[in-house]
Amino acid sequence: GVMPENDAHPDGQPWVWYAYDYDPVSTMRFAAAAAKLSRALVGIDDEQAAQLLSEAQAAWNWAIAEGPRETYGDNVKLRYRVHGAQAAAELLATTGEPAYHDAFAELGPFTGGNLSYSLYDWDAAVWLDGLFTYARAEAADPEYASAAERVIVERAEVLLEVAEKTAFRLVKHPYGPIRMSGGSTPTREGPGVLIRAHVLTGRVEFRDWAVAACDLTLGGNPAGWSWVTGVGDKPVREPLHMPSMGDGIDDPVPGITVYGPNDAVENGGILGAALIGYHPHISEWPQLERYADVGYPPGTNEFTVYESIGPSLFAFGYFAELAEEAEETGDIKKKPTSCACSSGAGHRGLTLLLAVGLAVAWRRKPQIG
């Protein structure tokens, strides 16, 4: 564990750096993100908003002209369509130009005008972001917008049906294992769907179950851990995060949601070394308790922005906004009520949700001396 500026090659030689060529899939992802951020900055920084929109459109035009490459397998070709559909939806919402609807109709799940598409249990939430943005875009075709909303709401209803059978209000993809954030995070495939369904419909059951899932992230789970560093009574303290290990500060960088429990019962390498430390054998432990806060096992203590931090910030930020609106309006009905295990858990969970926002935004003071 050393800080990046002190990271020297073991034999004194310089590190080798790699650069990658432009890629249509990554470019579509950039176009979507830049168009969304452009829309968010209007009225805050109009110059930056205009620059981002220009870059988003340039990226879109290049990626469309380039198309999916011949070397792409079926999975990467699907990713080109998924991120292309999202970019089209974001650009439609930002500009209102009808051409982006046409592109969404061609690239998205409604190809050929088939508006009966549905997400099935074995599907990942790959179309979720594009569908959600399209459903809310002012320039969207009403029939396509209605179909996009239906896909999200139907999927949310399936997730609720599955979640209602769990003891700890675990909302997750029905086929998703307890690993790689599946038991620690309000994932895109689980609570992320419920939040989007709540935005679209206002149905309180979607909101309440998503809050319960966030309670699980912040300590309302069998192991009692808060899976977010710096938050709660018993937060994880050993994320696989080199600066946290090498900065000389006891506490880790706050706001990191780790992968958490892992359903593996045998493995090699670092995770295997952690698993053999359990007594009785790890296979006899409940899946949501298969975690040791020991730093180096990537299957439990690692994280990514895409899989754990981003979804957590999305969920916590949404409920913090609802709480702020409730305080301003005095509308108690807007305050989420939790399905967690003890009375008052909804307000306690909400307090922790707000604390996460503070933890993520907080910057620790540098060491002196």
Side-chain angles (χ1 to χ4, degrees):
V2 297
M3 296 300 286
E5 61 269 23
N6 300 322
D7 190 4
H9 197 284
D11 61 5
Q13 298 300 313
W15 289 103
V16 177
W17 295 83
Y18 294 87
Y20 293 86
D21 193 9
Y22 299 120
D23 172 71
V25 174
S26 298
T27 303
M28 284 296 194
R29 296 185 71 173
F30 170 81
K36 179 189 284 280
L37 183 55
S38 169
R39 193 165 67 252
L41 288 176
V42 171
I44 299 173
D45 187 337
D46 290 335
E47 182 178 352
Q48 182 68 15
Q51 177 66 25
L52 282 165
L53 178 57
S54 176
E55 293 176 0
Q57 290 175 316
W60 165 265
N61 291 335
W62 182 87
I64 284 293
E66 188 77 3
R69 293 183 169 165
E70 293 181 0
T71 54
Y72 286 172
D74 290 342
N75 183 51
V76 184
K77 289 178 180 177
L78 175 61
R79 288 172 56 199
Y80 176 86
R81 286 184 55 205
V82 167
H83 295 302
Q86 185 185 353
E90 299 294 352
L91 285 163
L92 176 68
T94 305
T95 69
E97 296 179 10
Y100 294 119
H101 159 75
D102 296 339
F104 177 85
E106 179 182 351
L107 293 170
F110 304 132
T111 302
N114 177 21
L115 300 182
S116 62
Y117 171 83
S118 293
L119 277 167
Y120 296 99
D121 279 353
W122 51 85
D123 290 327
V126 293
W127 299 109
L128 180 63
D129 292 327
L131 290 169
F132 181 62
T133 296
Y134 189 92
R136 302 170 69 210
E138 292 183 5
D141 178 280
E143 288 188 321
Y144 278 79
S146 177
E149 178 175 328
R150 174 190 55 75
V151 171
I152 295 172
V153 172
E154 286 181 353
R155 183 59 174 165
E157 290 172 341
V158 170
L159 292 175
L160 285 192
E161 183 179 349
V162 175
E164 287 172 350
K165 301 175 183 178
T166 65
F168 272 87
R169 303 302 189 257
L170 180 61
V171 181
K172 70 177 188 66
H173 190 289
Y175 290 176
I178 303 296
R179 68 175 72 146
M180 307 297 281
S181 77
S184 69
T185 302
T187 59
R188 297 172 66 253
E189 296 82 2
V193 177
L194 301 187
I195 290 172
R196 288 167 172 85
H198 180 245
V199 172
L200 294 171
T201 68
R203 287 169 52 178
V204 294
E205 63 267 33
F206 294 146
R207 178 202 65 189
D208 290 352
W209 275 91
V211 170
C214 291
D215 286 346
L216 185 139
T217 296
L218 300 177
N221 57 70
W225 287 103
S226 167
W227 303 116
V228 184
T229 57
V231 180
D233 296 330
K234 185 186 173 183
V236 293
R237 295 182 55 83
E238 298 292 336
L240 180 50
H241 181 242
M242 291 298 113
S244 292
M245 295 177 177
D247 60 8
I249 301 174
D250 289 340
D251 292 329
V253 171
I256 296 174
T257 307
V258 299
Y259 283 154
N262 192 301
D263 65 349
V265 295
E266 58 183 25
N267 207 299
I270 298 173
L271 180 56
L275 295 180
I276 63 174
Y278 283 82
H279 182 77
H281 189 270
I282 187 66
S283 61
E284 298 184 37
W285 287 65
Q287 290 191 22
L288 287 175
E289 295 184 35
R290 295 177 187 176
Y291 175 82
D293 197 28
V294 293
Y296 284 97
T300 53
N301 298 64
E302 201 173 21
F303 60 92
T304 65
V305 172
Y306 182 78
E307 292 171 304
S308 59
I309 294 181
S312 296
L313 189 56
F314 175 86
F316 303 152
Y318 178 65
F319 290 121
E321 183 177 349
L322 286 189
E324 184 177 343
E325 290 177 1
E327 290 180 1
E328 291 176 354
T329 64
D331 184 1
I332 302 299
K333 294 179 181 179
K334 288 188 176 181
K335 291 188 177 182
T337 56
S338 173
C339 298
C341 302
S342 59
S343 61
H347 297 290
R348 181 167 61 255
L350 187 56
T351 300
L352 291 175
L353 293 175
L354 293 171
V356 170
L358 296 176
V360 172
W362 180 53
R363 297 294 183 267
R364 296 174 302 165
K365 294 181 181 179
Q367 290 180 292
I368 300 174

